[in-house]
Amino acid sequence: MKLGIGDVVRDRNGKTLLGSVAGITSQENATYVVVHLPGGEKRLAAPSTLEVVARRVASPTTGQSVVSLVVLLVGFLAAYIGCRSAQDLGADWLLTVLCGAGAYSAVMTLLQMWLRVTGPRRFRV
């Protein structure tokens, strides 16, 4: 199971353990998840007894939003250049559209890879 700091988890054993993941610790050759409960209490729980209720999603920063907008504009420019290049070489309309879609997809794939690298970390427990 992959958990991230801030994910909301629940106990599978029937207890009413509902809280957010505060960290991961290792004691006596076993890995435990530190769960922050309402009221400020912290409890250790085995990863096999937990199930994820909700994932924490951080809102994008201003820098990420600006980079996304710039990459979107570059993607549109690449699509235009791809369409015009195919059309100038005498391609049919379908091939022209596919060239533009391919150029746009190439640029957007780079954005998705960047967001995945800079996104929240998940830990396998």
Side-chain angles (χ1 to χ4, degrees), residues 28-57:
E28 301 169 5
N29 297 329
T31 302
Y32 293 103
V33 178
V34 180
V35 180
H36 185 262
L37 301 174
E41 183 182 352
K42 291 187 174 140
R43 186 177 298 172
L44 296 178
S48 60
T49 64
L50 296 176
E51 66 179 338
V52 178
V53 176
R55 296 269 185 208
R56 177 182 175 267
V57 179

Side-chain angles (χ1 to χ4, degrees), residues 2-10 18-24 33-37 42 50-58 120-123:
K2 285 191 171 185
L3 291 174
I5 305 296
D7 289 349
V8 178
V9 293
R10 176 176 64 184
L18 180 67
S20 61
V21 175
I24 299 170
V33 178
V34 180
V35 180
H36 185 262
L37 301 174
K42 291 187 174 140
L50 296 176
E51 66 179 338
V52 178
V53 176
R55 296 269 185 208
R56 177 182 175 267
V57 179
R121 302 289 185 252
R122 302 265 179 235
F123 301 97

Side-chain angles (χ1 to χ4, degrees), residues 79-91 96 99:
Y80 175 75
I81 291 171
C83 287
R84 291 298 298 173
S85 298
Q87 191 176 30
D88 290 344
L89 292 172
T96 301
C99 285

Side-chain angles (χ1 to χ4, degrees), residues 2-120:
K2 285 191 171 185
L3 291 174
I5 305 296
D7 289 349
V8 178
V9 293
R10 176 176 64 184
D11 190 14
R12 289 185 190 168
N13 295 335
K15 298 177 186 174
T16 57
L17 176 68
L18 180 67
S20 61
V21 175
I24 299 170
T25 185
S26 181
Q27 293 180 352
E28 301 169 5
N29 297 329
T31 302
Y32 293 103
V33 178
V34 180
V35 180
H36 185 262
L37 301 174
E41 183 182 352
K42 291 187 174 140
R43 186 177 298 172
L44 296 178
S48 60
T49 64
L50 296 176
E51 66 179 338
V52 178
V53 176
R55 296 269 185 208
R56 177 182 175 267
V57 179
S59 58
T61 63
T62 305
Q64 287 176 334
S65 299
V66 168
V67 168
S68 297
L69 181 63
V70 168
V71 170
L72 181 70
L73 295 175
V74 169
F76 285 144
L77 179 65
Y80 175 75
I81 291 171
C83 287
R84 291 298 298 173
S85 298
Q87 191 176 30
D88 290 344
L89 292 172
D92 196 19
W93 68 270
L94 181 60
L95 187 58
T96 301
V97 170
L98 290 176
C99 285
Y104 179 80
S105 298
V107 174
M108 287 298 118
T109 300
L110 292 175
L111 174 67
Q112 290 173 353
M113 291 168 63
W114 177 74
L115 289 174
R116 186 149 178 104
V117 168
T118 61

